[in-house]
Amino acid sequence: IVGNNAAEPLAVDGVTLLDKEGAPVAESEESLLVEAATRVRFPIGQPIIITGRTVHRLEAGRGEVSLVFLADNLAAAETLTRLSFHSISLLSRDALGQPVALVVSPERGAELHLGRSSQVWVKRILLDERRAELDFDRFGRVQGYDTVEDYLVEAVSLADAPVELQIVEYLASAWELKASPPPEKILPGEAVMRLRLDPAKPVRFSYTIVKHSGSRASR
């Protein structure tokens, strides 16, 4: 972005993009005229291409579905983090020129968070919560138990094509998650269930979380 805070138009003969250390990253000798008190978006250098797929994600305990772009080109995404950008402009079918947040981690790779989804609606309902498998010590006191939670997810997509929905549960203690198909354990204390949503076809999906406490946690 080239800005001009002066009262007169500014003629720019060329633009050089510097990294955080002041070293040149890309150059353009194309000239432009920036009017007074305005800013101009100026493309410079070669675009960084990130390939991958877009998924919809519901994180447990949150009522909204976010849109996430999963990149399969980690090297290109890491290049972005070395540039002095306050935001990233992503050119895609999902977000044309909108600022997005870039997240790069060794476990997940590279993700571009595009914000809230307006095409997928999800309701997560706690059907039942109970204690089970109580352990007693020799004095008859409870020393361990399981907390069992039954959930129902209702989802529908308004998109024109099938989409992938990820339901992410975060569990800090010893736990099991029972579902069909089985969940994926991506990170410690995290389970991901993937659903395919066809256009305008409601889906109901149920699963059970078993949290182990006390003496039950060590089994």
Side-chain angles (χ1 to χ4, degrees):
I1 298 176
V2 179
N4 178 18
N5 294 327
E8 300 293 333
L10 173 67
V12 178
D13 295 328
V15 176
T16 300
L17 179 65
L18 306 179
D19 64 14
K20 293 180 179 179
E21 283 72 39
V25 176
E27 295 183 356
S28 174
E29 296 180 356
E30 181 180 347
S31 61
L32 70 154
L33 182 67
V34 185
E35 298 294 339
T38 61
R39 296 190 301 173
V40 175
R41 286 182 173 270
F42 185 71
I44 185 171
Q46 296 297 318
I48 298 174
I49 306 300
I50 303 177
T51 59
R53 73 187 195 281
T54 303
V55 302
H56 294 73
R57 180 179 293 168
L58 174 73
E59 299 184 8
R62 304 182 68 176
E64 63 181 36
V65 179
S66 59
L67 194 62
V68 181
F69 182 81
L70 306 179
D72 55 21
N73 189 342
L74 180 58
E78 288 177 336
T79 300
L80 284 175
T81 65
R82 293 195 294 268
L83 302 180
S84 301
F85 290 146
H86 294 291
S87 64
I88 298 165
S89 290
L90 176 68
L91 301 180
S92 74
R93 294 178 305 171
D94 303 302
L96 182 60
Q98 297 297 318
V100 297
L102 172 68
V103 179
V104 179
S105 66
E107 299 87 358
R108 287 190 176 276
E111 298 184 353
L112 290 165
H113 290 244
L114 309 180
R116 183 174 181 175
S117 171
S118 60
Q119 293 183 316
V120 173
W121 297 82
V122 179
K123 181 185 295 185
R124 174 177 171 270
I125 306 168
L126 176 61
L127 298 178
D128 187 37
E129 182 178 7
R130 60 194 180 277
R131 288 188 177 183
E133 302 293 339
L134 273 65
D135 283 347
F136 299 92
D137 63 14
R138 61 191 183 92
F139 301 106
R141 296 173 299 194
V142 175
Q143 61 179 356
Y145 59 89
D146 292 344
T147 301
V148 182
E149 300 172 351
D150 296 325
Y151 287 94
L152 172 66
V153 169
E154 298 177 338
V156 65
S157 172
L158 305 179
D160 296 331
V163 301
E164 176 187 331
L165 172 65
Q166 295 183 351
I167 304 170
V168 182
E169 286 281 353
Y170 298 105
L171 300 157
S173 58
W175 57 275
E176 299 175 61
L177 196 153
K178 302 175 182 178
S180 180
E184 302 175 27
K185 294 184 179 181
I186 306 298
L187 299 173
E190 178 179 315
V192 177
M193 292 159 283
R194 306 180 191 275
L195 300 178
R196 173 190 166 100
L197 300 182
D198 292 320
K201 292 186 178 180
V203 171
R204 292 167 61 90
F205 176 73
S206 59
Y207 58 94
T208 298
I209 297 175
V210 182
K211 300 176 183 177
H212 306 297
S213 302
S215 59
R216 295 284 302 169
S218 59
R219 296 188 178 182

